[in-house]
Amino acid sequence: MSLRHNLRVVRAVAAVDVRLTLREPLFAIAGIIIPINFLLLFLLFAISGGQAPIAVVMKTQGPLAGQFVQAMNNSQSFIIHTASPADAEREIRAGTVVAVVTVPQDFDAALNAGRRVDIPVELNNLNVDFTNDIRRAVPLSITSFYATAFPEQVVVKAVESDVQEHDTGYIPYLAVSIVVAGLMLAALLQGSVNAARDYELGTIKELALAPVSRLAIGLGKILGAAALTAASAILVLGVVILVIGVQPLHPLEVLGFGLLVIAAFLALGVLVGTLVRRRQQAIPLSIACVLPLFFLSGPFGPANWLGEVPGAIAAVSPLTYAIAAFQHAFHGFQTATQDLTVDTMVLAGFTLLTVALTALVFGRRGVGH
């Protein structure tokens, strides 16, 4: 068959999918809303879990006491507010703060006289992550404060040499990773739902009996789902860029890798829909695929930091390469040992492989069950 004929087949299959999707807006809306909910859920988790809320009881207003509280602020490990002793005690009993740090009345006088100062820290050790944050960050704050207030007495000093040109906050880093997961989920949902719908409505019989290329059918299914996936992608990126304020350093990379990620997981979605053939099964299966891949692909830091076994699993996950590519597009740094060329090749190869598998499965299973 000629290339022109195959292109007409791709266009026709895509147009049919778009029309059928618009006739059933519930599934279309689900494919847009679920990725946005996914993004907001993980961002709320990150915002609530990034820094430990603590209350500081100031029994003195001396300059050294103020410097100490500032050192705690600079540690970027706390959300600090001052409170009276009674209010602080109520807050820790109610669970609204993780710790109460009390700056004693003789803080300035004792330090100026060279005497030891004990800083009471009342800790709610219910959550081990927050507990460890407090146990690490309070001593670090004391060391940082002392090095600033009495530099002549601190003879050991760390000299930092940064690998990256700039620091990146926890929320901006995680937000970019969640963008990739949101694109993946949107593409999986649209691709799998559109493919499974053909079996439910019986339209797959027309495609199977038509004298057309199976590859052209697979490409048409992918393009048909791409429109709504693009709408979801624009919403996800809009939230990250306009609401959270994470601006991409390389917008063209965001566009290019975004299209590549959508194509890769649309292809996987079409394969899933072809295998399960029911939308009620395709939707939960698509969602179930996202979570383990997301957590095993280095969303909180480079995948190389995960350890030997998780790192080996991450190495075969296409989401790992997508996250690395998007981190470079937004923040300008490379989080993996491979470069952007390898990221591109892996995602493109994954797309071609899933399209070929979809054509193979469709060709062997036909329209029967």
Side-chain angles (χ1 to χ4, degrees), residues 192-267:
S192 61
V193 165
N194 283 9
R197 180 183 56 212
D198 283 338
Y199 288 94
E200 292 182 359
L201 300 181
T203 55
I204 194 67
K205 294 180 181 180
E206 301 175 9
L207 295 175
L209 296 175
V212 296
S213 166
R214 300 294 186 254
L215 182 60
I217 293 174
L219 290 174
K221 303 297 293 181
I222 292 172
L223 291 178
L228 285 174
T229 303
S232 179
I234 291 172
L235 286 176
V236 171
L237 287 169
V239 170
V240 171
I241 295 174
L242 300 178
V243 178
I244 303 176
V246 184
Q247 302 295 325
L249 291 180
H250 307 290
L252 291 180
E253 285 188 16
V254 175
L255 176 62
F257 282 114
L259 293 175
L260 192 54
V261 168
I262 289 173
F265 291 107
L266 275 175

Side-chain angles (χ1 to χ4, degrees), residues 38-53 76 79 130 133 169-178 244 294-295 299-300:
F38 187 84
L39 170 68
L40 296 178
L41 175 64
F42 274 93
L43 285 178
L44 288 174
F45 164 78
I47 291 172
S48 63
Q51 295 177 313
Q76 299 182 353
I79 300 176
F130 277 149
D133 286 345
Y170 180 60
I171 299 299
Y173 188 99
L174 182 58
V176 172
S177 298
I178 297 174
I244 303 176
F294 178 72
F295 286 111
F300 307 107

